[in-house]
Amino acid sequence: MDGFSSDFAAGAGGAGGAGKVDAGLIMEQVKVQIAVANAQELLQRMTDKCFRKCIGKPGSSLDNSEQKCVAMCMDRYMDAWNIVSKTYNSRLQRERARM
């Protein structure tokens, strides 16, 4: 059983719970799981894109130019991701403020 399932079960039937579920705890666990999934997706996409861009002939090691290319590619990808994330969050906050 994963951590979420066991925590959920403990919250649902735990001491003093009498069948009540702590919705706040569950929401926090869901938020953490979403953040982890987003980080994994970011890493996977960045790896795929930078590998295709920088590695011409895969081998047992990277030469100096490939290492530099991968490092620069990952830095640029993270910079772009951060800009997009900040812009998206700002837009969400503006939209929420209109409601």
Side-chain angles (χ1 to χ4, degrees):
M1 198 177 330
D2 63 16
F4 178 75
S5 298
S6 61
D7 290 345
F8 180 80
K20 292 184 180 178
V21 176
D22 184 355
L25 177 63
I26 292 172
M27 286 301 294
E28 281 304 310
Q29 290 172 340
V30 169
K31 286 179 184 178
V32 167
Q33 288 180 338
I34 290 170
V36 168
N38 284 337
Q40 289 173 331
E41 181 181 354
L42 168 64
L43 185 58
Q44 184 63 47
R45 285 185 179 189
M46 183 171 51
T47 301
D48 290 345
K49 289 182 184 295
C50 293
F51 182 87
R52 276 189 262 121
K53 176 180 173 45
C54 298
I55 312 302
K57 291 189 262 180
S60 61
S61 64
L62 300 176
D63 66 28
N64 200 30
S65 65
E66 289 171 330
Q67 289 179 16
K68 287 179 183 177
C69 180
V70 168
M72 297 279 290
C73 177
M74 293 178 87
D75 286 345
R76 285 193 308 269
Y77 197 93
M78 287 300 297
D79 290 343
W81 178 272
N82 288 331
I83 290 169
V84 169
S85 294
K86 286 177 187 176
T87 303
Y88 178 71
N89 287 330
S90 295
R91 183 173 179 179
L92 281 178
Q93 287 176 352
R94 284 194 311 269
E95 293 295 323
R96 286 181 185 151
R98 289 183 195 170
M99 295 178 157

